[in-house]
Amino acid sequence: MLCLVAYFLPAIVIGNYVCKLSDLVDLLQFSFSQAVPMSCPLHFAANLSWLFPELEKLSHRIKAAAQAGFKAVEVAWPYDTEVTELKQALEKNGVDLILINTPPGNKAKGELGLGALPMQEAEFRAGLDLAVKYAKTVGCKQIHLMAGRVPVGLDRTSVAKAMEATFIENLKYAADILSKEGLLGLVEPINTRITDPRYFLNTPHQAVRILQQVDRPNLKLQLDLFHCQIMDGNLTQNITNYFPLIGHVQIAQVPNRNEADSPGEISYSYIFSLLEKLGYQGYVGCEYTPKGNTVDGLGWLRSYWGNQGTKKLAGRAECQ
């Protein structure tokens, strides 16, 4: 209405210029559109290593995720499922697999990734080859390159330099391999206060420092906000400052690692709004332990999806 009225109003003088009020309205509208960034609706992926634990087979979890409304899933280690079977399950249910991990190594020896383990470069490369094979076959575009744990019996400070140097060299090698296939590599800090006291990569600051030393455009930060909150907090500044390096986000409530709306330290309504305003267009992985039935615990996500539908009806533009 303001725009229509303005065209019937007289011109005004500003300094040495004659300006129609309608021109001022257009200018103000343009300025406002530039000052307020477009919010991007978030896209969520079900982490099938955590969700739907009531179903044993991965193919059944994929079906359940699709029925719950997910268009994307992530799986830590899909290697117990034959790759063609995995591909068929994804295609049958219309779901994309958007993230897998490199193999953990020898679980009997307590290994959880090999990227930073000196003298195990050959094992890391073999695991990377397997991950790339799975990713290419099913169309997965992201691989989490697991750093691994400080070996049992060794002090972290005594091996930190050697492990960092090994990780940097392995990441450079992985980045070159992944680049040829059009894939993105991710590194994830895992907290050492609650989850894994011996994990080598444990803060976003450490991860970013290593990424900067590797300096490859197809390596990014996998920011699990559960781990970040436990190790550092300061989520607003960490997300904002490291945003250009963030390739993937994961969520769970702190401290019990349950649904986003369960009691805890993180206000995910605020976090989602922040990610929207920053224009985050990657996926948000739901990596948490359901308090009960997985579907019953997705009320928070159904509310988010419903709110986005309301915004669409109101004419709010979406990010492409």
Side-chain angles (χ1 to χ4, degrees):
M1 186 65 178
L2 178 60
C3 297
L4 293 175
V5 172
Y7 280 101
F8 295 98
L9 294 176
I12 61 173
V13 177
I14 302 178
N16 295 324
Y17 299 94
V18 178
C19 180
K20 290 182 63 177
L21 290 182
S22 60
D23 294 331
L24 283 178
V25 171
D26 291 340
L27 178 61
L28 288 171
Q29 289 177 331
F30 174 79
S31 299
F32 182 77
S33 69
Q34 299 302 303
V36 181
M38 180 185 297
S39 293
C40 299
L42 302 177
H43 307 286
F44 292 85
N47 188 304
L48 299 185
S49 299
W50 291 76
L51 301 189
F52 306 101
E54 59 272 16
L55 302 173
E56 184 175 349
K57 291 191 66 175
L58 179 55
S59 59
H60 293 169
R61 293 188 183 192
I62 291 172
K63 180 179 180 180
Q67 291 176 338
F70 287 100
K71 301 298 182 184
V73 297
E74 56 186 47
V75 184
W77 302 296
Y79 309 111
D80 289 337
T81 301
E82 206 279 324
V83 68
T84 55
E85 178 186 343
L86 176 60
K87 182 179 181 182
Q88 290 172 357
L90 293 166
E91 292 177 346
K92 180 180 179 180
N93 292 283
V95 172
D96 292 326
L97 178 58
I98 55 93
L99 174 66
I100 60 175
N101 295 358
T102 49
N106 191 330
K107 289 186 176 181
K109 293 182 179 180
E111 293 176 344
L112 191 68
L114 302 170
L117 299 190
M119 308 302 293
Q120 295 203 44
E121 290 86 352
E123 291 84 351
F124 171 79
R125 293 184 179 190
L128 177 64
D129 288 343
L130 179 61
V132 169
K133 173 188 173 182
Y134 266 72
K136 287 176 60 180
T137 302
V138 304
C140 178
K141 296 298 184 181
Q142 300 181 129
I143 298 177
H144 169 203
L145 306 167
M146 299 198 72
R149 291 167 169 157
V150 174
V152 175
L154 296 180
D155 178 67
R156 178 183 296 271
T157 56
S158 67
V159 297
K161 289 185 178 180
M163 292 189 73
E164 180 171 302
T166 300
F167 197 30
I168 288 172
E169 290 306 310
N170 279 335
L171 289 177
K172 289 179 179 179
Y173 172 85
D176 292 341
I177 297 296
L178 297 179
S179 178
K180 295 175 183 177
E181 306 295 344
L183 302 177
L184 182 71
L186 299 168
V187 298
E188 178 190 15
I190 295 176
N191 83 81
T192 53
R193 291 177 173 163
I194 295 177
T195 302
D196 198 322
R198 291 192 292 114
Y199 203 76
F200 171 70
L201 192 69
N202 55 72
T203 72
H205 318 299
Q206 180 192 14
V208 167
R209 187 180 70 251
I210 289 173
L211 285 173
Q212 290 171 340
Q213 292 182 70
V214 176
D215 192 24
R216 294 291 196 277
N218 65 324
L219 292 184
K220 297 287 185 179
L221 174 65
Q222 180 173 321
L223 189 64
D224 187 321
L225 297 179
F226 170 79
H227 298 305
C228 185
Q229 169 67 10
I230 291 170
M231 293 301 292
D232 191 65
N234 197 26
L235 295 183
T236 299
Q237 291 302 313
N238 280 324
I239 293 171
T240 303
N241 292 341
Y242 297 141
F243 188 74
L245 283 175
I246 295 174
H248 188 63
V249 173
Q250 292 176 321
I251 62 169
Q253 189 54 271
V254 178
N256 295 323
R257 208 168 189 175
N258 298 131
E259 287 86 348
D261 64 342
S262 60
E265 300 174 14
I266 302 177
S267 170
Y268 273 108
S269 59
Y270 170 79
I271 293 297
F272 295 160
S273 178
L274 175 63
L275 290 170
E276 289 176 350
K277 290 176 182 177
L278 289 171
Y280 179 66
Q281 296 185 49
Y283 281 94
V284 177
C286 303
E287 187 180 275
Y288 58 79
T289 301
K291 295 180 70 175
N293 178 275
T294 299
V295 174
D296 291 344
L298 290 174
W300 64 273
L301 184 52
R302 288 190 290 269
S303 295
Y304 181 88
W305 284 336
N307 186 43
Q308 293 304 313
T310 301
K311 290 176 181 177
K312 288 181 183 179
L313 292 175
R316 173 172 162 176
E318 291 189 45
C319 296
Q320 299 299 320

